[in-house]
Amino acid sequence: MLTQERFDKIVSSVEVRNSVTVSELAEALGVSESTIRRDLIALDRMGRIKKVHGGATAVSRSSVINEDDMNTKLTLHIYEKEQIGKLAAGLISNNDMVFIDAGTTTMAMINYINEGVRATFVTNGIVHAKKLIGKGLSAYIIGGRIKLTTEAVIGTAAIGNMQKYNFTKAFIGTNGISIKSGYSTPDIEEAAVKTEALKRSARSYILADSSKFEAVSAITFGELRSAAIITEELLDNDYREYTMIKEAAV
């Protein structure tokens, strides 16, 4: 296979799937992972894709309507989510009132929360609540409509339930991060819950792997300055001008 043909196939795969790993591309194209890594560096320099740790993402993406379900998301960027989760969990202190948003990246942080921490946790994630109480932590789940694809509690009832809380810290997931569009997600009701969490928290953190940067979804739920981003790798230093970036060690 000629280099240009391989380049075109890589770009096509990235644009269709939004993000792909080095191993997936190597298997699909029948070449070594080292060849794929060299290709990704070249394509990134050309501006055709965005190289990230372990793979590549599309340069300009939008997830206006469609969103992967939880089972699919759990298979994506596993290593990055663990790194982000570990760093985020280390920010929780005794006496904190913590909101943990639904999502697979926020779910990863629960694995690293100290079981002895004397903090109170509130979440709109069904699985998150189960994991928290499984660790013996003090946890509450807000009431409202259940969204099947993300297993999140959303809607006007959820917003109403959140309004009695004053969080010291909130950990929130996102589908996209953009300098122009801020933090965004496809669902307007889910976005409303995230906005309320930002509003009701003294300090807020956005948990997002590097593939979320330069992605834009249908609904903006917060400006970049409204939270600190926790990510495993920052590839664009322009984001440092808009928010504090905490990079997880890799």
Side-chain angles (χ1 to χ4, degrees), residues 18-34:
N18 285 339
S19 64
V20 291
T21 66
V22 170
S23 59
E24 288 171 339
L25 289 169
E27 182 178 355
L29 299 179
V31 297
S32 68
E33 292 190 5
S34 60

Side-chain angles (χ1 to χ4, degrees), residues 79 82-84 86-87 231-233 246-250:
Y79 175 76
E82 292 296 319
Q83 296 300 305
I84 293 165
K86 185 176 182 179
L87 193 153
T231 188
E232 91 289 352
E233 184 179 22
K246 290 179 175 289
E247 289 187 78
V250 294

